[in-house]
Amino acid sequence: MWSSGKGGKQSLNVPKYSVLRQSNPSRRQIIYSNPSVGINNMSGTYGFVKYYMVLYHIPNKLEFIESMGTYFMYKHNNLSKGNVVKQLILFALPFIISNLIQTLYSVADMVIVGQFNGTISMSGVNIGGQVTMLMTNVAVGLSAGATVLIAQSVGAEKTKQLQKIIGTLLTSLLVVAVGMTLIMLVLHRPILNLINTPVESFSEASRYLIVTALGTIFIFGYNALSAIMRGMGDSKSPLYFVAIACAANVVLDLLLVGVFHTGALGAGIATVISQALSMFLCILYLTRKNFVFDFKIKSLVIDIIQLKAILKLGIPISIQNLITNLSFLFMTSLVNTLGVTASAAVGAVGKYNGFAILPAIAMNAAISTMCAQNFGAGKEDRAKKTWLTGMALSCVISYVIFFLTRLFPSEILQMYSDEPDMIQAGLPYLLAFSIDYLLVPIAFSMNGLFIGAGHTTYSLFVNIFSGIILRIPMAYILCNVFDQGLYGVGLAVPIATFGAILLNTGFFLSGKWRVRTIHFDDQIEPEIKEEVVG
């Protein structure tokens, strides 16, 4: 049963009893719904009861008990109601801040490693980090599929399957994390050889990759928990935990890399420990908030029906992320043939790009979740308004970033290293790459609308077209055939994004994005219908 609160927030009521926290946090008193067992028998510790009832105009003891039970439950946010602009801004802002802070993970590694250990270690962190992202995007993709499923169930007020969705997601990601850890430990050297890792930075990249592979379970776990909370309309809680993780990461980087000079190895250890800290704190917080899932071993069960639904939505997103990373990994491999200085320059631009496009990425995620809840509630026109509002906001921010990048390219590169050769090599790449900042808010916002509607297979199709058919060939042709070097490699990125926008525009005008792909019956299981790509 769902109970509404202020600001559109809702929570699950406990119909049988509610748990009240006393002034002594080590004690709890279970107050049953029978008032004679409840308020009349409470000790003096609960002297605030009468004051609370008068202040909030609560007419009787039973409603007091229910209101306090609701207060201590984990609250979700229904994004299918209220003012669209206000809801989107309030929901997207923590997303943007979270992504900004999360980007500091990798940037802290690059800046601190570059300043204390030089270009070789910097190149190692960049290359090892890109391979690590291939693993992380598996978790991100499956979690994104679960986010759409959770958000649409919340919008449709079909909540019975939430526990099964969450348990299935966490259990399946645990299995995948263990498998990918073993694979990376065995194949990390062949993978680094495959992408033409420079000899000078090979050992540094290898150390970084081994450490992050060992911490895969923590990286997967945190991403899953964040996706679950965001699917329920809560973008604030993930912000708190990523902030803690980032602070821990920076402190550990300064200690391990700056003081003990452990290079890429220390940067990897700092990243894994901070992710683990964030994951465990998140579980503790949700448990104390009486979250809908209890995180007990017996609850970690894979439900086949929910697994099929998550996979049908999540696999296309995982493959999409994989293709994006593989295309950029190919570009890294192409750049690696130009030497370690070019590799470090592309790494620096890549870290800056993580900041530059994060408003578009955050708005994409916010649009996706909010549209999913609105599709679940049967409000397609409200979902369209959400997309248009998000795209306008994203364009304003991204265009400002574009002009700042064009005005201060050298200063931007100097933030990562003061080596003249690296800055000189990175300038043409950054100037070409920055053209993408004019296009990504449009492409990402449209992608958020389609994913929120459940059209993840179509989204995958567009990504294959832009990443495989456009980005990779254009990078090679412009770099080697037309002899444009790093400028040509950077120019391939906006060309691919423009191609994606053309396809997305056609799909939107066709009206096929309105076709429902997720249907909930009156029982428990969601029905995922096949979507038409063409």
Side-chain angles (χ1 to χ4, degrees), residues 131-132 134-135 138 173-192 194 206 209-217 220 322:
V131 178
T132 300
L134 292 177
M135 298 186 295
V138 174
L173 284 181
L174 176 63
V175 174
V176 173
V178 172
M180 296 203 74
T181 297
L182 295 175
I183 291 172
M184 281 296 169
L185 291 178
V186 173
L187 299 178
H188 67 279
R189 295 186 68 85
I191 290 173
L192 292 175
L194 184 64
S206 178
L209 187 53
I210 289 173
V211 171
T212 52
L214 291 171
T216 301
I217 187 172
F220 276 32
L322 182 65

PDB file of all heavy atoms in Angstrom, residues 131-132 134-135 138 173-192 194 206 209-217 220 322:
ATOM      1  N   VAL A 131      40.110  -0.003 -19.959  1.00  0.00           N
ATOM      2  CA  VAL A 131      39.770  -1.429 -19.939  1.00  0.00           C
ATOM      3  C   VAL A 131      38.829  -1.715 -18.771  1.00  0.00           C
ATOM      4  O   VAL A 131      37.866  -2.490 -18.899  1.00  0.00           O
ATOM      5  CB  VAL A 131      41.043  -2.294 -19.835  1.00  0.00           C
ATOM      6  CG1 VAL A 131      40.678  -3.772 -19.753  1.00  0.00           C
ATOM      7  CG2 VAL A 131      41.962  -2.051 -21.028  1.00  0.00           C
ATOM      8  N   THR A 132      39.076  -1.090 -17.626  1.00  0.00           N
ATOM      9  CA  THR A 132      38.206  -1.269 -16.473  1.00  0.00           C
ATOM     10  C   THR A 132      36.786  -0.817 -16.771  1.00  0.00           C
ATOM     11  O   THR A 132      35.807  -1.427 -16.321  1.00  0.00           O
ATOM     12  CB  THR A 132      38.750  -0.472 -15.261  1.00  0.00           C
ATOM     13  OG1 THR A 132      40.064  -0.945 -14.946  1.00  0.00           O
ATOM     14  CG2 THR A 132      37.851  -0.646 -14.044  1.00  0.00           C
ATOM     15  N   LEU A 134      35.235  -1.137 -19.470  1.00  0.00           N
ATOM     16  CA  LEU A 134      34.534  -2.196 -20.199  1.00  0.00           C
ATOM     17  C   LEU A 134      33.798  -3.105 -19.227  1.00  0.00           C
ATOM     18  O   LEU A 134      32.658  -3.528 -19.482  1.00  0.00           O
ATOM     19  CB  LEU A 134      35.527  -3.015 -21.029  1.00  0.00           C
ATOM     20  CG  LEU A 134      36.186  -2.315 -22.218  1.00  0.00           C
ATOM     21  CD1 LEU A 134      37.200  -3.240 -22.877  1.00  0.00           C
ATOM     22  CD2 LEU A 134      35.132  -1.877 -23.224  1.00  0.00           C
ATOM     23  N   MET A 135      34.432  -3.418 -18.094  1.00  0.00           N
ATOM     24  CA  MET A 135      33.784  -4.249 -17.081  1.00  0.00           C
ATOM     25  C   MET A 135      32.658  -3.475 -16.386  1.00  0.00           C
ATOM     26  O   MET A 135      31.556  -3.995 -16.191  1.00  0.00           O
ATOM     27  CB  MET A 135      34.805  -4.712 -16.031  1.00  0.00           C
ATOM     28  CG  MET A 135      35.930  -5.570 -16.567  1.00  0.00           C
ATOM     29  SD  MET A 135      36.969  -6.219 -15.228  1.00  0.00           S
ATOM     30  CE  MET A 135      37.668  -4.702 -14.573  1.00  0.00           C
ATOM     31  N   VAL A 138      29.178  -3.246 -18.003  1.00  0.00           N
ATOM     32  CA  VAL A 138      28.285  -4.393 -17.909  1.00  0.00           C
ATOM     33  C   VAL A 138      27.312  -4.177 -16.754  1.00  0.00           C
ATOM     34  O   VAL A 138      26.097  -4.360 -16.882  1.00  0.00           O
ATOM     35  CB  VAL A 138      29.075  -5.705 -17.710  1.00  0.00           C
ATOM     36  CG1 VAL A 138      28.124  -6.868 -17.461  1.00  0.00           C
ATOM     37  CG2 VAL A 138      29.950  -5.992 -18.921  1.00  0.00           C
ATOM     38  N   LEU A 173      24.428  -9.692 -10.697  1.00  0.00           N
ATOM     39  CA  LEU A 173      25.648  -8.890 -10.821  1.00  0.00           C
ATOM     40  C   LEU A 173      26.780  -9.458  -9.977  1.00  0.00           C
ATOM     41  O   LEU A 173      27.958  -9.354 -10.352  1.00  0.00           O
ATOM     42  CB  LEU A 173      25.375  -7.444 -10.421  1.00  0.00           C
ATOM     43  CG  LEU A 173      24.621  -6.593 -11.445  1.00  0.00           C
ATOM     44  CD1 LEU A 173      24.431  -5.179 -10.925  1.00  0.00           C
ATOM     45  CD2 LEU A 173      25.364  -6.557 -12.777  1.00  0.00           C
ATOM     46  N   LEU A 174      26.452 -10.067  -8.848  1.00  0.00           N
ATOM     47  CA  LEU A 174      27.467 -10.723  -8.028  1.00  0.00           C
ATOM     48  C   LEU A 174      28.134 -11.859  -8.796  1.00  0.00           C
ATOM     49  O   LEU A 174      29.363 -11.984  -8.807  1.00  0.00           O
ATOM     50  CB  LEU A 174      26.834 -11.254  -6.744  1.00  0.00           C
ATOM     51  CG  LEU A 174      27.739 -12.066  -5.807  1.00  0.00           C
ATOM     52  CD1 LEU A 174      28.888 -11.203  -5.294  1.00  0.00           C
ATOM     53  CD2 LEU A 174      26.935 -12.631  -4.646  1.00  0.00           C
ATOM     54  N   VAL A 175      27.322 -12.651  -9.471  1.00  0.00           N
ATOM     55  CA  VAL A 175      27.851 -13.760 -10.263  1.00  0.00           C
ATOM     56  C   VAL A 175      28.710 -13.237 -11.411  1.00  0.00           C
ATOM     57  O   VAL A 175      29.824 -13.733 -11.663  1.00  0.00           O
ATOM     58  CB  VAL A 175      26.691 -14.622 -10.815  1.00  0.00           C
ATOM     59  CG1 VAL A 175      27.227 -15.687 -11.772  1.00  0.00           C
ATOM     60  CG2 VAL A 175      25.925 -15.277  -9.673  1.00  0.00           C
ATOM     61  N   VAL A 176      28.217 -12.214 -12.109  1.00  0.00           N
ATOM     62  CA  VAL A 176      28.959 -11.646 -13.238  1.00  0.00           C
ATOM     63  C   VAL A 176      30.273 -11.022 -12.761  1.00  0.00           C
ATOM     64  O   VAL A 176      31.316 -11.155 -13.426  1.00  0.00           O
ATOM     65  CB  VAL A 176      28.106 -10.593 -13.972  1.00  0.00           C
ATOM     66  CG1 VAL A 176      28.929  -9.884 -15.045  1.00  0.00           C
ATOM     67  CG2 VAL A 176      26.894 -11.258 -14.610  1.00  0.00           C
ATOM     68  N   ALA A 177      30.255 -10.357 -11.612  1.00  0.00           N
ATOM     69  CA  ALA A 177      31.462  -9.707 -11.085  1.00  0.00           C
ATOM     70  C   ALA A 177      32.556 -10.725 -10.805  1.00  0.00           C
ATOM     71  O   ALA A 177      33.730 -10.508 -11.143  1.00  0.00           O
ATOM     72  CB  ALA A 177      31.123  -8.933  -9.815  1.00  0.00           C
ATOM     73  N   VAL A 178      32.192 -11.832 -10.195  1.00  0.00           N
ATOM     74  CA  VAL A 178      33.176 -12.881  -9.910  1.00  0.00           C
ATOM     75  C   VAL A 178      33.758 -13.432 -11.206  1.00  0.00           C
ATOM     76  O   VAL A 178      34.981 -13.601 -11.344  1.00  0.00           O
ATOM     77  CB  VAL A 178      32.541 -14.021  -9.083  1.00  0.00           C
ATOM     78  CG1 VAL A 178      33.508 -15.189  -8.957  1.00  0.00           C
ATOM     79  CG2 VAL A 178      32.126 -13.516  -7.706  1.00  0.00           C
ATOM     80  N   GLY A 179      32.891 -13.674 -12.186  1.00  0.00           N
ATOM     81  CA  GLY A 179      33.356 -14.192 -13.468  1.00  0.00           C
ATOM     82  C   GLY A 179      34.284 -13.230 -14.182  1.00  0.00           C
ATOM     83  O   GLY A 179      35.335 -13.633 -14.710  1.00  0.00           O
ATOM     84  N   MET A 180      33.943 -11.940 -14.204  1.00  0.00           N
ATOM     85  CA  MET A 180      34.772 -10.957 -14.907  1.00  0.00           C
ATOM     86  C   MET A 180      36.094 -10.722 -14.179  1.00  0.00           C
ATOM     87  O   MET A 180      37.113 -10.444 -14.822  1.00  0.00           O
ATOM     88  CB  MET A 180      34.002  -9.648 -15.064  1.00  0.00           C
ATOM     89  CG  MET A 180      32.780  -9.778 -15.935  1.00  0.00           C
ATOM     90  SD  MET A 180      32.246  -8.221 -16.659  1.00  0.00           S
ATOM     91  CE  MET A 180      33.498  -7.975 -17.913  1.00  0.00           C
ATOM     92  N   THR A 181      36.094 -10.829 -12.868  1.00  0.00           N
ATOM     93  CA  THR A 181      37.343 -10.707 -12.121  1.00  0.00           C
ATOM     94  C   THR A 181      38.319 -11.809 -12.539  1.00  0.00           C
ATOM     95  O   THR A 181      39.505 -11.542 -12.805  1.00  0.00           O
ATOM     96  CB  THR A 181      37.076 -10.790 -10.605  1.00  0.00           C
ATOM     97  OG1 THR A 181      36.258  -9.693 -10.206  1.00  0.00           O
ATOM     98  CG2 THR A 181      38.384 -10.745  -9.823  1.00  0.00           C
ATOM     99  N   LEU A 182      37.836 -13.031 -12.599  1.00  0.00           N
ATOM    100  CA  LEU A 182      38.688 -14.157 -12.995  1.00  0.00           C
ATOM    101  C   LEU A 182      39.196 -13.989 -14.421  1.00  0.00           C
ATOM    102  O   LEU A 182      40.372 -14.252 -14.717  1.00  0.00           O
ATOM    103  CB  LEU A 182      37.907 -15.472 -12.858  1.00  0.00           C
ATOM    104  CG  LEU A 182      37.491 -15.860 -11.427  1.00  0.00           C
ATOM    105  CD1 LEU A 182      36.625 -17.115 -11.446  1.00  0.00           C
ATOM    106  CD2 LEU A 182      38.721 -16.068 -10.545  1.00  0.00           C
ATOM    107  N   ILE A 183      38.324 -13.535 -15.309  1.00  0.00           N
ATOM    108  CA  ILE A 183      38.724 -13.348 -16.708  1.00  0.00           C
ATOM    109  C   ILE A 183      39.826 -12.301 -16.823  1.00  0.00           C
ATOM    110  O   ILE A 183      40.822 -12.492 -17.529  1.00  0.00           O
ATOM    111  CB  ILE A 183      37.502 -12.944 -17.563  1.00  0.00           C
ATOM    112  CG1 ILE A 183      36.534 -14.121 -17.688  1.00  0.00           C
ATOM    113  CG2 ILE A 183      37.938 -12.472 -18.949  1.00  0.00           C
ATOM    114  CD1 ILE A 183      35.231 -13.764 -18.353  1.00  0.00           C
ATOM    115  N   MET A 184      39.654 -11.177 -16.132  1.00  0.00           N
ATOM    116  CA  MET A 184      40.640 -10.103 -16.210  1.00  0.00           C
ATOM    117  C   MET A 184      41.982 -10.498 -15.596  1.00  0.00           C
ATOM    118  O   MET A 184      43.042 -10.117 -16.098  1.00  0.00           O
ATOM    119  CB  MET A 184      40.104  -8.842 -15.540  1.00  0.00           C
ATOM    120  CG  MET A 184      39.131  -8.080 -16.398  1.00  0.00           C
ATOM    121  SD  MET A 184      39.942  -7.472 -17.898  1.00  0.00           S
ATOM    122  CE  MET A 184      38.517  -6.930 -18.840  1.00  0.00           C
ATOM    123  N   LEU A 185      41.944 -11.267 -14.517  1.00  0.00           N
ATOM    124  CA  LEU A 185      43.199 -11.706 -13.899  1.00  0.00           C
ATOM    125  C   LEU A 185      43.991 -12.614 -14.837  1.00  0.00           C
ATOM    126  O   LEU A 185      45.228 -12.599 -14.837  1.00  0.00           O
ATOM    127  CB  LEU A 185      42.902 -12.426 -12.580  1.00  0.00           C
ATOM    128  CG  LEU A 185      42.378 -11.553 -11.428  1.00  0.00           C
ATOM    129  CD1 LEU A 185      42.077 -12.411 -10.206  1.00  0.00           C
ATOM    130  CD2 LEU A 185      43.376 -10.459 -11.078  1.00  0.00           C
ATOM    131  N   VAL A 186      43.285 -13.375 -15.636  1.00  0.00           N
ATOM    132  CA  VAL A 186      43.951 -14.306 -16.557  1.00  0.00           C
ATOM    133  C   VAL A 186      44.369 -13.612 -17.854  1.00  0.00           C
ATOM    134  O   VAL A 186      45.460 -13.872 -18.380  1.00  0.00           O
ATOM    135  CB  VAL A 186      43.024 -15.506 -16.867  1.00  0.00           C
ATOM    136  CG1 VAL A 186      43.638 -16.396 -17.950  1.00  0.00           C
ATOM    137  CG2 VAL A 186      42.758 -16.313 -15.609  1.00  0.00           C
ATOM    138  N   LEU A 187      43.549 -12.706 -18.352  1.00  0.00           N
ATOM    139  CA  LEU A 187      43.750 -12.170 -19.706  1.00  0.00           C
ATOM    140  C   LEU A 187      44.205 -10.708 -19.737  1.00  0.00           C
ATOM    141  O   LEU A 187      44.201 -10.109 -20.818  1.00  0.00           O
ATOM    142  CB  LEU A 187      42.455 -12.296 -20.508  1.00  0.00           C
ATOM    143  CG  LEU A 187      41.910 -13.710 -20.721  1.00  0.00           C
ATOM    144  CD1 LEU A 187      40.605 -13.660 -21.497  1.00  0.00           C
ATOM    145  CD2 LEU A 187      42.929 -14.576 -21.461  1.00  0.00           C
ATOM    146  N   HIS A 188      44.596 -10.133 -18.611  1.00  0.00           N
ATOM    147  CA  HIS A 188      44.919  -8.705 -18.633  1.00  0.00           C
ATOM    148  C   HIS A 188      46.108  -8.371 -19.536  1.00  0.00           C
ATOM    149  O   HIS A 188      46.086  -7.360 -20.246  1.00  0.00           O
ATOM    150  CB  HIS A 188      45.167  -8.180 -17.211  1.00  0.00           C
ATOM    151  CG  HIS A 188      46.382  -8.727 -16.548  1.00  0.00           C
ATOM    152  ND1 HIS A 188      46.402  -9.965 -15.945  1.00  0.00           N
ATOM    153  CD2 HIS A 188      47.639  -8.202 -16.389  1.00  0.00           C
ATOM    154  CE1 HIS A 188      47.607 -10.177 -15.439  1.00  0.00           C
ATOM    155  NE2 HIS A 188      48.364  -9.131 -15.690  1.00  0.00           N
ATOM    156  N   ARG A 189      47.116  -9.226 -19.557  1.00  0.00           N
ATOM    157  CA  ARG A 189      48.283  -8.940 -20.408  1.00  0.00           C
ATOM    158  C   ARG A 189      47.953  -9.060 -21.892  1.00  0.00           C
ATOM    159  O   ARG A 189      48.315  -8.166 -22.681  1.00  0.00           O
ATOM    160  CB  ARG A 189      49.452  -9.844 -20.027  1.00  0.00           C
ATOM    161  CG  ARG A 189      49.990  -9.596 -18.617  1.00  0.00           C
ATOM    162  CD  ARG A 189      51.250 -10.417 -18.338  1.00  0.00           C
ATOM    163  NE  ARG A 189      52.380  -9.957 -19.134  1.00  0.00           N
ATOM    164  CZ  ARG A 189      53.184  -8.957 -18.776  1.00  0.00           C
ATOM    165  NH1 ARG A 189      52.980  -8.309 -17.621  1.00  0.00           N
ATOM    166  NH2 ARG A 189      54.177  -8.595 -19.546  1.00  0.00           N
ATOM    167  N   PRO A 190      47.280 -10.130 -22.326  1.00  0.00           N
ATOM    168  CA  PRO A 190      46.886 -10.184 -23.750  1.00  0.00           C
ATOM    169  C   PRO A 190      46.004  -9.007 -24.167  1.00  0.00           C
ATOM    170  O   PRO A 190      46.123  -8.517 -25.296  1.00  0.00           O
ATOM    171  CB  PRO A 190      46.122 -11.514 -23.847  1.00  0.00           C
ATOM    172  CG  PRO A 190      46.673 -12.357 -22.753  1.00  0.00           C
ATOM    173  CD  PRO A 190      46.969 -11.402 -21.641  1.00  0.00           C
ATOM    174  N   ILE A 191      45.118  -8.563 -23.265  1.00  0.00           N
ATOM    175  CA  ILE A 191      44.245  -7.433 -23.596  1.00  0.00           C
ATOM    176  C   ILE A 191      45.077  -6.163 -23.800  1.00  0.00           C
ATOM    177  O   ILE A 191      44.856  -5.402 -24.756  1.00  0.00           O
ATOM    178  CB  ILE A 191      43.200  -7.224 -22.487  1.00  0.00           C
ATOM    179  CG1 ILE A 191      42.191  -8.374 -22.499  1.00  0.00           C
ATOM    180  CG2 ILE A 191      42.472  -5.890 -22.675  1.00  0.00           C
ATOM    181  CD1 ILE A 191      41.222  -8.349 -21.339  1.00  0.00           C
ATOM    182  N   LEU A 192      46.030  -5.927 -22.931  1.00  0.00           N
ATOM    183  CA  LEU A 192      46.882  -4.744 -23.060  1.00  0.00           C
ATOM    184  C   LEU A 192      47.744  -4.811 -24.313  1.00  0.00           C
ATOM    185  O   LEU A 192      48.001  -3.786 -24.963  1.00  0.00           O
ATOM    186  CB  LEU A 192      47.762  -4.588 -21.811  1.00  0.00           C
ATOM    187  CG  LEU A 192      47.024  -4.232 -20.512  1.00  0.00           C
ATOM    188  CD1 LEU A 192      47.985  -4.224 -19.333  1.00  0.00           C
ATOM    189  CD2 LEU A 192      46.328  -2.876 -20.643  1.00  0.00           C
ATOM    190  N   LEU A 194      46.795  -6.326 -27.026  1.00  0.00           N
ATOM    191  CA  LEU A 194      45.860  -6.187 -28.140  1.00  0.00           C
ATOM    192  C   LEU A 194      45.604  -4.724 -28.492  1.00  0.00           C
ATOM    193  O   LEU A 194      45.398  -4.386 -29.664  1.00  0.00           O
ATOM    194  CB  LEU A 194      44.538  -6.880 -27.777  1.00  0.00           C
ATOM    195  CG  LEU A 194      43.456  -6.926 -28.865  1.00  0.00           C
ATOM    196  CD1 LEU A 194      43.923  -7.753 -30.058  1.00  0.00           C
ATOM    197  CD2 LEU A 194      42.164  -7.504 -28.301  1.00  0.00           C
ATOM    198  N   SER A 206      49.205  -2.519 -16.364  1.00  0.00           N
ATOM    199  CA  SER A 206      48.933  -3.876 -15.877  1.00  0.00           C
ATOM    200  C   SER A 206      48.609  -3.862 -14.383  1.00  0.00           C
ATOM    201  O   SER A 206      47.654  -4.513 -13.940  1.00  0.00           O
ATOM    202  CB  SER A 206      50.137  -4.779 -16.140  1.00  0.00           C
ATOM    203  OG  SER A 206      49.916  -6.070 -15.630  1.00  0.00           O
ATOM    204  N   LEU A 209      45.159  -2.328 -13.767  1.00  0.00           N
ATOM    205  CA  LEU A 209      44.086  -3.202 -14.224  1.00  0.00           C
ATOM    206  C   LEU A 209      43.857  -4.368 -13.268  1.00  0.00           C
ATOM    207  O   LEU A 209      42.711  -4.753 -13.002  1.00  0.00           O
ATOM    208  CB  LEU A 209      44.414  -3.720 -15.633  1.00  0.00           C
ATOM    209  CG  LEU A 209      43.331  -4.517 -16.357  1.00  0.00           C
ATOM    210  CD1 LEU A 209      42.028  -3.740 -16.395  1.00  0.00           C
ATOM    211  CD2 LEU A 209      43.792  -4.861 -17.764  1.00  0.00           C
ATOM    212  N   ILE A 210      44.929  -4.946 -12.737  1.00  0.00           N
ATOM    213  CA  ILE A 210      44.801  -6.069 -11.798  1.00  0.00           C
ATOM    214  C   ILE A 210      44.064  -5.638 -10.537  1.00  0.00           C
ATOM    215  O   ILE A 210      43.151  -6.317 -10.054  1.00  0.00           O
ATOM    216  CB  ILE A 210      46.192  -6.638 -11.441  1.00  0.00           C
ATOM    217  CG1 ILE A 210      46.801  -7.378 -12.645  1.00  0.00           C
ATOM    218  CG2 ILE A 210      46.090  -7.598 -10.249  1.00  0.00           C
ATOM    219  CD1 ILE A 210      48.226  -7.824 -12.421  1.00  0.00           C
ATOM    220  N   VAL A 211      44.436  -4.477  -9.997  1.00  0.00           N
ATOM    221  CA  VAL A 211      43.821  -4.003  -8.753  1.00  0.00           C
ATOM    222  C   VAL A 211      42.335  -3.715  -8.963  1.00  0.00           C
ATOM    223  O   VAL A 211      41.486  -4.120  -8.157  1.00  0.00           O
ATOM    224  CB  VAL A 211      44.547  -2.745  -8.238  1.00  0.00           C
ATOM    225  CG1 VAL A 211      43.768  -2.128  -7.081  1.00  0.00           C
ATOM    226  CG2 VAL A 211      45.951  -3.096  -7.788  1.00  0.00           C
ATOM    227  N   THR A 212      42.006  -3.008 -10.035  1.00  0.00           N
ATOM    228  CA  THR A 212      40.598  -2.675 -10.270  1.00  0.00           C
ATOM    229  C   THR A 212      39.783  -3.927 -10.594  1.00  0.00           C
ATOM    230  O   THR A 212      38.584  -3.987 -10.270  1.00  0.00           O
ATOM    231  CB  THR A 212      40.456  -1.655 -11.413  1.00  0.00           C
ATOM    232  OG1 THR A 212      41.164  -2.116 -12.573  1.00  0.00           O
ATOM    233  CG2 THR A 212      41.008  -0.303 -10.989  1.00  0.00           C
ATOM    234  N   ALA A 213      40.409  -4.924 -11.202  1.00  0.00           N
ATOM    235  CA  ALA A 213      39.706  -6.188 -11.461  1.00  0.00           C
ATOM    236  C   ALA A 213      39.345  -6.873 -10.147  1.00  0.00           C
ATOM    237  O   ALA A 213      38.246  -7.427  -9.996  1.00  0.00           O
ATOM    238  CB  ALA A 213      40.564  -7.106 -12.320  1.00  0.00           C
ATOM    239  N   LEU A 214      40.242  -6.821  -9.172  1.00  0.00           N
ATOM    240  CA  LEU A 214      39.970  -7.420  -7.859  1.00  0.00           C
ATOM    241  C   LEU A 214      38.839  -6.691  -7.124  1.00  0.00           C
ATOM    242  O   LEU A 214      38.180  -7.274  -6.260  1.00  0.00           O
ATOM    243  CB  LEU A 214      41.239  -7.406  -7.003  1.00  0.00           C
ATOM    244  CG  LEU A 214      42.357  -8.351  -7.466  1.00  0.00           C
ATOM    245  CD1 LEU A 214      43.637  -8.095  -6.671  1.00  0.00           C
ATOM    246  CD2 LEU A 214      41.927  -9.809  -7.317  1.00  0.00           C
ATOM    247  N   GLY A 215      38.629  -5.441  -7.461  1.00  0.00           N
ATOM    248  CA  GLY A 215      37.564  -4.676  -6.809  1.00  0.00           C
ATOM    249  C   GLY A 215      36.281  -4.594  -7.621  1.00  0.00           C
ATOM    250  O   GLY A 215      35.406  -3.781  -7.316  1.00  0.00           O
ATOM    251  N   THR A 216      36.145  -5.455  -8.628  1.00  0.00           N
ATOM    252  CA  THR A 216      34.968  -5.413  -9.506  1.00  0.00           C
ATOM    253  C   THR A 216      33.665  -5.547  -8.729  1.00  0.00           C
ATOM    254  O   THR A 216      32.671  -4.877  -9.015  1.00  0.00           O
ATOM    255  CB  THR A 216      35.051  -6.530 -10.568  1.00  0.00           C
ATOM    256  OG1 THR A 216      36.237  -6.348 -11.340  1.00  0.00           O
ATOM    257  CG2 THR A 216      33.843  -6.500 -11.489  1.00  0.00           C
ATOM    258  N   ILE A 217      33.641  -6.412  -7.726  1.00  0.00           N
ATOM    259  CA  ILE A 217      32.411  -6.663  -6.976  1.00  0.00           C
ATOM    260  C   ILE A 217      31.915  -5.385  -6.283  1.00  0.00           C
ATOM    261  O   ILE A 217      30.708  -5.141  -6.201  1.00  0.00           O
ATOM    262  CB  ILE A 217      32.626  -7.798  -5.947  1.00  0.00           C
ATOM    263  CG1 ILE A 217      31.291  -8.174  -5.287  1.00  0.00           C
ATOM    264  CG2 ILE A 217      33.653  -7.405  -4.893  1.00  0.00           C
ATOM    265  CD1 ILE A 217      31.396  -9.410  -4.423  1.00  0.00           C
ATOM    266  N   PHE A 220      30.605  -2.962  -9.102  1.00  0.00           N
ATOM    267  CA  PHE A 220      29.302  -3.433  -9.560  1.00  0.00           C
ATOM    268  C   PHE A 220      28.225  -3.141  -8.510  1.00  0.00           C
ATOM    269  O   PHE A 220      27.132  -2.694  -8.827  1.00  0.00           O
ATOM    270  CB  PHE A 220      29.352  -4.933  -9.839  1.00  0.00           C
ATOM    271  CG  PHE A 220      29.880  -5.291 -11.201  1.00  0.00           C
ATOM    272  CD1 PHE A 220      30.837  -4.504 -11.820  1.00  0.00           C
ATOM    273  CD2 PHE A 220      29.418  -6.410 -11.871  1.00  0.00           C
ATOM    274  CE1 PHE A 220      31.336  -4.825 -13.071  1.00  0.00           C
ATOM    275  CE2 PHE A 220      29.902  -6.736 -13.125  1.00  0.00           C
ATOM    276  CZ  PHE A 220      30.865  -5.946 -13.725  1.00  0.00           C
ATOM    277  N   LEU A 322      29.281  -1.051 -24.130  1.00  0.00           N
ATOM    278  CA  LEU A 322      30.468  -1.798 -24.548  1.00  0.00           C
ATOM    279  C   LEU A 322      30.964  -1.302 -25.896  1.00  0.00           C
ATOM    280  O   LEU A 322      32.167  -1.094 -26.098  1.00  0.00           O
ATOM    281  CB  LEU A 322      30.141  -3.290 -24.608  1.00  0.00           C
ATOM    282  CG  LEU A 322      31.299  -4.226 -24.983  1.00  0.00           C
ATOM    283  CD1 LEU A 322      32.374  -4.202 -23.908  1.00  0.00           C
ATOM    284  CD2 LEU A 322      30.784  -5.650 -25.190  1.00  0.00           C
TER     285      LEU A 322
END
